[in-house]
Amino acid sequence: MENAILASTSTLHGQNYLEYLLPEITTLFQDCSEIIFIPFARPGGISHQDYTEHVQKALGKLPFRVKGLHEFQDPVKALNECDGIFTGGGNTFLLVEKLYRLKVMPVLKKQIKIGKPYLGTSAGTNIAGLTMQTTNDMPIIYPPSFQTLGILPFNINAHYLDPDTNSTHKGETRETRIKEFHTLNTQPVVGLREGSWLELSAGEIVLKGTLSSRIFKVDKVPFELAPNCKLTDLN
Amino acid sequence: MENAILASTSTLHGQNYLEYLLPEITTLFQDCSEIIFIPFARPGGISHQDYTEHVQKALGKLPFRVKGLHEFQDPVKALNECDGIFTGGGNTFLLVEKLYRLKVMPVLKKQIKIGKPYLGTSAGTNIAGLTMQTTNDMPIIYPPSFQTLGILPFNINAHYLDPDTNSTHKGETRETRIKEFHTLNTQPVVGLREGSWLELSAGEIVLKGTLSSRIFKVDKVPFELAPNCKLTDLN
């Protein structure tokens, strides 16, 4: 049974990296002495090592060690044997391509399914969905598939943004993009605003944080889901 | 030698569809009695037929007919035999997947290369680049490749938006996304603002419209290129 926190963003405006999530991270990884960080999404092109050190610093006061998955000769063994896993944000295409290339996608899925504590932020949350097809990221690399972990029975749109009614920009809104997704795909999409996260525990998926989420279902008018509501049976 | 207009957007704020481009479109297609519209990017999920009728209406006063490529049994023959081609905006993944599926990508490239008048807006401009990897669109379908026409010796980022310095949103800026692209890819990227277009004629690529474009080269500080400057030798 899954034990996971899937957050829209790692960072809130005016706060430090992961600051608003520290209480949840402390609880999630309370039984861990060492967790593995998956740095492959490389936000802004940062190196695996620099990204891992950034996380080590942010979580430095918590009572567990953090190691980067890139440090291990055998990433499959490392994920099987570690106490907990955190996948950071950045570019979802880059993350997914690397997870397939290292052949760790099924391992990661299995470890989360059997209840190993998992934290995802942004791209690390996108990959928990059925596919990565509702990412906002640029396709900077061609992954062998858009299928992802399927821990959730729906897709995620992280950093969800409401249409800016004052904008004169003619690029498509997030809502229009998701509508286009639904002309070809049937799974629901959860528009997860910054500051929201999904908590997976005791067999349930619950929306946490103070904001509502916007839910998109094929051929339905989008609607708002309030904090602390369940999404377990959304699909 | 190419004879093309590649526009960032089809529509400017407060204007009708294609309105600001009508003088250029009139000149581009002046020797055409019939042009083919490629509706496959389907903005907002609109049907091929509805999208084509929208274009027919917008260009109704110009002295040529518009037919949708979806109306033809043999799309390769249709593109080879028509007088001019217009590819509209929408979702670039959807457009590219369909162009590959119909096996028209090489035909389209050849016809533009030999000088058949070509108009692209948004997704229809993206595909003129070396790859579609600097699109802003959602990956709603998995195309067989990200490679595109390579009419331009660089990539396009259409609807280019400057970072909003007042924003509290933590999603990545366009500039950060393009920086991530350049950690893996070497071709320059032209950030084409709404209202700008590239004019390809007499063997030159010239920036038109009243705005500058933002140019991104690997390992260089981005810079602005003024209207009426050439981009022919950018790469």
Side-chain angles (χ1 to χ4, degrees):
Chain A
M1 208 178 285
E2 297 88 349
N3 180 22
I5 299 284
L6 302 171
S8 174
T9 184
S10 61
T11 316
L12 290 181
H13 181 67
Q15 291 195 8
N16 290 323
Y17 181 65
L18 295 174
E19 185 178 331
Y20 79 104
L21 284 172
L22 282 178
E24 280 67 33
I25 295 173
T26 304
T27 307
L28 178 69
F29 294 132
Q30 61 189 343
D31 295 328
C32 303
S33 61
E34 186 172 287
I35 69 163
I36 283 184
F37 175 62
I38 301 182
F40 302 149
R42 302 180 58 201
I46 188 175
S47 74
H48 295 153
Q49 187 57 34
D50 286 352
Y51 197 10
T52 302
E53 288 172 14
H54 189 57
V55 172
Q56 286 166 335
K57 204 175 150 194
L59 302 182
K61 290 188 178 156
L62 302 192
F64 52 81
R65 289 184 306 281
V66 178
K67 277 195 150 179
L69 186 55
H70 66 291
E71 299 173 45
F72 292 86
Q73 282 287 340
D74 184 344
V76 171
K77 185 163 174 275
L79 289 174
N80 277 330
E81 295 180 355
C82 68
D83 300 330
I85 301 165
F86 168 28
T87 306
N91 185 290
T92 308
F93 291 86
L94 193 50
L95 171 61
V96 167
E97 196 275 341
K98 185 86 172 176
L99 292 176
Y100 274 111
R101 189 142 46 91
L102 292 181
K103 300 189 195 326
V104 295
M105 198 68 100
V107 185
L108 188 53
K109 177 170 183 165
K110 188 182 168 201
Q111 291 302 310
I112 301 172
K113 281 277 184 191
I114 64 173
K116 188 167 283 187
Y118 178 81
L119 170 66
T121 58
S122 192
T125 291
N126 283 340
I127 60 167
L130 291 167
T131 73
M132 56 165 285
Q133 291 178 273
T134 45
T135 176
N136 313 307
D137 298 331
M138 265 189 186
I140 64 173
I141 195 167
Y142 186 71
S145 168
F146 287 159
Q147 265 209 295
T148 46
L149 298 170
I151 301 298
L152 301 168
F154 45 78
N155 268 28
I156 292 287
N157 180 251
H159 302 279
Y160 181 75
L161 259 188
D162 293 289
D164 176 358
T165 50
N166 292 318
S167 175
T168 60
H169 188 70
K170 303 299 281 187
E172 293 164 318
T173 65
R174 202 65 69 80
E175 194 155 325
T176 303
R177 292 169 198 278
I178 295 171
K179 188 175 167 193
E180 291 174 0
F181 171 77
H182 273 149
T183 60
L184 298 170
N185 305 274
T186 57
Q187 66 263 45
V189 179
V190 173
L192 204 59
R193 295 185 173 91
E194 294 184 348
S196 296
W197 66 94
L198 303 181
E199 185 182 274
L200 280 64
S201 72
E204 301 283 6
I205 306 169
V206 181
L207 175 64
K208 307 299 276 186
T210 59
L211 302 173
S212 65
S213 277
R214 195 154 184 85
I215 311 295
F216 301 86
K217 298 182 94 166
V218 68
D219 294 333
K220 306 272 189 216
V221 175
F223 62 93
E224 292 289 319
L225 185 94
N228 298 310
C229 285
K230 290 179 187 171
L231 295 91
T232 318
D233 302 316
L234 185 63
N235 197 355
Chain B
M1 210 177 289
E2 297 87 348
N3 179 23
I5 299 284
L6 302 170
S8 174
T9 184
S10 61
T11 315
L12 290 181
H13 181 69
Q15 290 194 7
N16 290 324
Y17 180 64
L18 295 174
E19 184 177 333
Y20 80 104
L21 283 172
L22 282 178
E24 280 67 32
I25 295 173
T26 304
T27 306
L28 178 68
F29 294 133
Q30 61 189 345
D31 296 326
C32 302
S33 61
E34 184 171 286
I35 69 162
I36 283 183
F37 175 61
I38 302 183
F40 301 148
R42 301 179 59 201
I46 188 175
S47 74
H48 294 153
Q49 187 56 34
D50 286 353
Y51 197 9
T52 302
E53 287 172 14
H54 188 58
V55 172
Q56 285 165 336
K57 203 175 150 192
L59 302 182
K61 290 187 178 156
L62 302 192
F64 52 81
R65 288 184 306 280
V66 179
K67 277 195 151 181
L69 187 55
H70 67 290
E71 299 172 46
F72 292 85
Q73 281 287 342
D74 185 342
V76 170
K77 184 164 175 275
L79 289 174
N80 277 330
E81 294 181 355
C82 68
D83 300 330
I85 302 165
F86 168 29
T87 306
N91 186 289
T92 308
F93 290 88
L94 194 50
L95 171 62
V96 168
E97 196 275 341
K98 185 85 173 178
L99 292 176
Y100 274 112
R101 190 142 47 89
L102 293 182
K103 301 189 192 328
V104 295
M105 198 68 99
V107 185
L108 190 53
K109 178 171 181 163
K110 189 183 168 201
Q111 291 302 312
I112 300 172
K113 282 275 185 193
I114 63 174
K116 188 166 284 187
Y118 178 81
L119 169 66
T121 59
S122 194
T125 292
N126 282 339
I127 60 167
L130 290 167
T131 73
M132 56 165 284
Q133 292 180 273
T134 46
T135 175
N136 312 307
D137 297 331
M138 266 191 187
I140 64 173
I141 195 168
Y142 186 71
S145 168
F146 286 159
Q147 266 208 295
T148 46
L149 298 170
I151 300 297
L152 302 169
F154 45 79
N155 268 29
I156 291 286
N157 181 250
H159 302 279
Y160 181 74
L161 259 188
D162 293 289
D164 175 359
T165 50
N166 292 317
S167 175
T168 60
H169 188 71
K170 303 298 280 187
E172 292 163 321
T173 64
R174 201 65 67 80
E175 192 154 328
T176 302
R177 293 170 197 277
I178 295 170
K179 189 176 166 191
E180 290 174 1
F181 171 78
H182 273 149
T183 60
L184 298 170
N185 303 276
T186 56
Q187 65 263 46
V189 179
V190 174
L192 204 59
R193 294 185 175 91
E194 294 184 348
S196 295
W197 66 92
L198 302 181
E199 186 182 274
L200 279 64
S201 72
E204 302 282 5
I205 305 169
V206 181
L207 175 64
K208 306 299 278 187
T210 59
L211 302 172
S212 64
S213 278
R214 195 152 183 87
I215 311 294
F216 300 86
K217 298 182 95 165
V218 69
D219 294 332
K220 306 272 188 215
V221 176
F223 62 93
E224 294 288 320
L225 185 94
N228 299 311
C229 286
K230 290 179 187 172
L231 295 91
T232 319
D233 301 315
L234 186 64
N235 196 359

